[in-house]
Amino acid sequence: MPTEPAGRDNHLVRLDVLRFPLIVLIVYLHASGVTANFADGSRALVDARTVEGVQIVTGSIARIAVPLFFMMSGFLFFRGAAFSGEIYRAKLRSRAKSLLIPFLFWNLALFGLVAIAQGVPPLAPLFNGENQAFATLTPFQMIDFILGITHYPIAYQFWFIRDLMILVIMSPLLWLAARHVPWIVLTALTAAWIFNIWPTPVPAAEPTLFFYLGSFVAIRGWSLFEVDRLGSWLAVPFVLLLVALRAEQLAGHGNYLLHPTMAVGLVLALKASRWLAESAWLRDRLVALGSASFFVFAVHEPLVTIGKKLAFRALPMTAATVLATYAVLPVLVIGLALIAHRVLNVVAPGFLRLITGGR
């Protein structure tokens, strides 16, 4: 039976060193694309194959971040404690502070920002391209924009938190499944993810599978880092899968290799956490940056979208400028977010803890 690495801190530190790199991947994933939508129409790169080829590779690497975050969340939710009604209620109270309050704050804040900006002529083109005029929304539509009932919430990256909250509520069912029919449920969820067969958009198949997988590992008392035994030889198949995936997608043959690529990449990311944690210099800096990862996650949108629109409006739409925007914009956004996090941590630490769920 798999066993956990010696020392509780070692296990958690390896997860901690992954948080900031995974957030960087998410920012790059959201910065991809060769189109920007404005109120007066869209601007798009006509000959986008070169750029799309680069983004397929980088985007495929970045796609491992979301399932890995869900797997980490499921693992940490169930790790180290029996499950009972009392524990379930305590965890719900804890997640209300760490998930629900930040979810409501950031979506309400962005809703207010967009509502104001839509009425300011110089800003309106940056906010009206994809959003209905907020002055025309019905009460249900307003609630839907904030909570993401029928579509993404207005701060669309918070679909992750929305699905995570639902999975937390469902956790007694996941615990029963992991205790009594673990492999049947894991096989069914894996098939649903691979073949895109799923009855409901919320929570989606991918979050459910990987949250369950992390829960399964924790409930069984196993370690996420049993993948260490696979070794670094998986790097070669991962590169080959990336090359084949790029060719497949550019040829318009679909995404059949995407899920195998993500699975191998996820294992490599867990393996890489050992190398990162073994370097004291890297470990200390990544753990420190990890404390700001939720804040970066929360503020990177709409900053990335606005930055892309400003760049696409100001610069000629060529492959070089679009690639440069894709490379540089996430660095600028992450840098600004880290500065803002440090400032808030000095001038309003209590407020910062509230809006980041105590992180």
Side-chain angles (χ1 to χ4, degrees):
M1 179 180 292
T3 57
E4 187 178 74
R8 178 178 184 276
D9 288 345
N10 179 59
H11 205 138
L12 297 181
V13 166
R14 288 185 63 175
L15 295 181
D16 284 342
V17 299
L18 285 175
R19 295 183 189 279
F20 185 74
L22 293 179
I23 288 296
V24 172
L25 290 181
I26 286 175
V27 177
Y28 269 97
L29 183 63
H30 291 167
S32 64
V34 294
T35 302
N37 297 312
F38 297 88
D40 55 357
S42 298
R43 295 202 69 196
L45 180 63
V46 176
D47 184 11
R49 286 179 63 85
T50 300
V51 179
E52 288 175 343
V54 173
Q55 292 178 343
I56 285 170
V57 175
T58 57
S60 300
I61 296 172
R63 284 288 301 272
I64 70 174
V66 170
L68 186 47
F69 267 130
F70 274 110
M71 189 164 69
M72 290 163 58
S73 298
F75 177 80
L76 293 172
F77 186 84
F78 283 101
R79 182 173 186 262
F83 200 68
S84 66
E86 182 179 352
I87 291 173
Y88 176 61
R89 289 188 293 272
K91 287 182 178 290
L92 288 183
R93 289 192 295 270
S94 171
R95 269 44 178 196
K97 295 178 181 178
S98 63
L99 299 176
L100 179 59
I101 291 175
F103 177 85
L104 292 174
F105 171 83
W106 290 105
N107 280 284
L108 284 167
L110 185 56
F111 186 92
L113 172 66
V114 175
I116 293 170
Q118 284 185 340
V120 180
L123 299 178
L126 299 176
F127 289 90
N128 287 349
E130 299 170 347
N131 295 312
Q132 179 182 350
F134 281 13
T136 68
L137 295 178
T138 66
F140 174 77
Q141 287 174 320
M142 292 182 183
I143 294 172
D144 199 9
F145 263 105
I146 294 167
L147 299 183
I149 299 170
T150 65
H151 48 66
Y152 287 146
I154 186 167
Y156 77 85
Q157 70 271 32
F158 275 84
W159 73 265
F160 174 93
I161 303 298
R162 177 200 61 191
D163 282 27
L164 182 55
M165 288 189 292
I166 294 173
L167 289 166
V168 164
I169 293 170
M170 294 170 52
S171 58
L173 297 177
L174 301 178
W175 181 82
L176 288 171
R179 289 293 300 271
H180 300 292
V181 284
W183 297 108
I184 293 174
V185 172
L186 182 60
T187 301
L189 290 175
T190 302
W193 178 58
I194 292 173
F195 297 108
N196 196 27
I197 302 171
W198 192 248
T200 175
V202 181
E206 184 172 288
T208 306
L209 166 62
F210 287 95
F211 186 89
Y212 173 77
L213 182 56
S215 303
F216 177 29
V217 171
I219 290 167
R220 294 276 161 163
W222 298 347
S223 167
L224 287 176
F225 300 112
E226 274 301 306
V227 296
D228 286 354
R229 68 176 62 184
L230 295 175
S232 56
W233 63 267
L234 279 176
V236 174
F238 183 61
V239 172
L240 294 176
L241 281 168
L242 287 174
V243 173
L245 179 63
R246 177 183 183 275
E248 179 186 61
Q249 292 185 339
L250 288 177
H253 294 157
N255 291 312
Y256 301 110
L257 295 175
L258 179 59
H259 291 129
T261 305
M262 291 170 63
V264 175
L266 188 150
V267 171
L268 282 174
L270 289 172
K271 173 72 174 179
S273 71
R274 179 178 179 177
W275 305 328
L276 297 174
E278 285 175 349
S279 166
W281 187 88
L282 273 176
R283 181 187 64 237
D284 293 346
R285 280 151 186 80
L286 287 174
V287 170
L289 288 169
S291 65
S293 59
F294 187 90
F295 186 81
V296 176
F297 164 80
V299 303
H300 82 272
E301 284 290 354
L303 295 180
V304 166
T305 297
I306 294 172
K308 185 190 295 185
K309 288 183 178 184
L310 291 172
F312 285 7
R313 175 155 285 188
L315 301 172
M317 291 288 288
T318 66
T321 57
V322 173
L323 275 175
T325 299
Y326 178 60
V328 174
L329 180 59
V331 176
L332 295 176
V333 168
I334 293 169
L336 287 172
L338 291 175
I339 292 170
H341 181 271
R342 176 166 292 188
V343 171
L344 280 174
N345 198 35
V346 172
V347 302
F351 176 68
L352 178 62
R353 286 194 296 272
L354 177 70
I355 65 176
T356 59
R359 296 169 179 84

